Amino acid sequence: MNYKQKESSRREMLGCARIAAGAKKYGKPEEARQWSDAAAKHLFRLNGMAGNW
């Protein structure tokens, strides 16, 4: 993965996590779970590199 792909995946992961948090806050647990799963897929795609940003 090059830098632009990592940065894009990182942004997508953070966006999914923020949407999941908002859905959880407003009482939509099913939607929150779907967005959390999407964030987890992006994190997996980064191979654990997201903690180094």
Side-chain angles (χ1 to χ4, degrees):
M1 240 192 231
N2 65 25
Y3 180 77
K4 287 185 179 184
Q5 289 173 326
K6 285 182 183 178
E7 186 65 25
S8 174
S9 191
R10 177 187 164 273
R11 281 193 312 267
E12 290 175 10
M13 178 195 63
L14 291 175
C16 290
R18 287 180 183 138
I19 292 171
K24 190 182 295 184
K25 179 179 177 182
Y26 292 108
K28 298 180 180 179
E30 181 63 28
E31 186 176 343
R33 187 184 59 78
Q34 291 173 348
W35 283 106
S36 292
D37 290 346
K41 287 179 186 176
H42 287 293
L43 180 61
F44 180 75
R45 188 170 170 215
L46 287 169
N47 294 326
M49 293 293 293
N52 296 331
W53 294 82

